[in-house]
Amino acid sequence: ESQNMMNSEMFSQFRKEFLEYIGRAEAVVITSHFSPDDDSIGSVLFVYTFLTEHFPKKSIRIIYTGACPDRYKVFPRFEKIEWVHDVAEHLEGVDTLVTVDASNFRRFSAIPEKLAEVPVRIGFDHHASIADDYTLLLHRKEYSSNTELLVRALCAEETPSRDLAEYALLGILGDTGNY
């Protein structure tokens, strides 16, 4: 129970800071690792949807390095994802970068130093790896998937929408094979 209370307070504080950073942002890019899997796709769509629900007028884009995997086209907002040669080549004017399902810039780009130059870098990661330099980072390896981490961190104080729940289920099932 004490651990749950500490996690709840930590998530609440993280959510508050996350929303403050996004509230001040002019241009936000969300990205995830090369060769996206279910958790990666679920995570970017989760963060995009969460942010556009809270900041409907904000400039928010999802950009991946690599080719588009067609199997996710059934998910709402999948068409919002931009598939490019390298995300680092599309950060001109971006003041806030949100990464999900990894926390090493080399997992997102062949030019990781360009990602490190974005003024505000926010990350969500559930892997046991050493993270790069972030302005705000939620790095918790005890969670089954990145989408589970997102639900706990961003939706503890509100009921997630149906789309958010579907993205979370995609990521959890994809990373664990069960619920």
Side-chain angles (χ1 to χ4, degrees):
E1 174 126 4
S2 171
Q3 182 65 29
N4 286 342
M5 179 87 78
M6 287 179 8
N7 280 342
S8 176
E9 290 171 14
M10 176 202 52
F11 288 143
S12 180
Q13 182 61 33
F14 184 91
R15 181 182 192 275
K16 179 179 180 253
E17 290 179 38
F18 177 61
L19 291 173
E20 287 172 0
Y21 277 116
I22 299 300
R24 291 190 299 264
E26 295 293 322
V28 178
V29 165
I30 303 162
T31 195
S32 189
H33 57 75
F34 298 116
S35 302
D37 56 12
D38 295 351
D39 195 26
S40 171
I41 295 291
S43 292
V44 296
L45 291 173
F46 188 103
V47 172
Y48 178 84
T49 302
F50 178 85
L51 291 178
T52 56
E53 287 174 356
H54 285 81
F55 301 98
K57 295 183 184 275
K58 188 82 52 187
S59 171
I60 302 170
R61 298 165 61 200
I62 307 169
I63 306 175
Y64 267 99
T65 298
C68 175
D70 290 338
R71 71 188 213 102
Y72 299 105
K73 287 184 176 180
V74 298
F75 288 93
R77 296 174 199 83
F78 181 79
E79 75 284 355
K80 299 288 187 184
I81 300 174
E82 300 170 44
W83 302 92
V84 300
H85 175 70
D86 197 303
V87 66
E89 298 167 343
H90 297 268
L91 296 177
E92 177 99 21
V94 171
D95 60 0
T96 304
L97 177 68
V98 179
T99 67
V100 296
D101 202 29
S103 55
N104 304 105
F105 298 141
R106 63 181 165 68
R107 299 270 327 268
F108 313 114
S109 169
I111 319 165
E113 61 275 9
K114 286 290 202 188
L115 279 66
E117 293 173 1
V118 176
V120 175
R121 297 161 315 282
I122 302 169
F124 296 87
D125 189 13
H126 75 111
H127 296 97
S129 58
I130 297 172
D132 281 332
D133 184 31
Y134 280 82
T135 310
L136 182 65
L137 176 65
L138 187 58
H139 191 197
R140 305 296 299 231
K141 64 182 180 180
E142 66 268 24
Y143 291 95
S144 67
S145 62
N146 202 73
T147 52
E148 179 190 1
L149 180 62
L150 289 168
V151 169
R152 293 184 186 278
L154 301 179
C155 296
E157 299 170 15
E158 63 190 64
T159 302
S161 67
R162 178 187 172 109
D163 286 346
L164 291 178
E166 286 181 6
Y167 302 144
L169 191 57
L170 168 65
I172 292 168
L173 289 175
D175 259 19
T176 66
N178 61 52
Y179 184 68

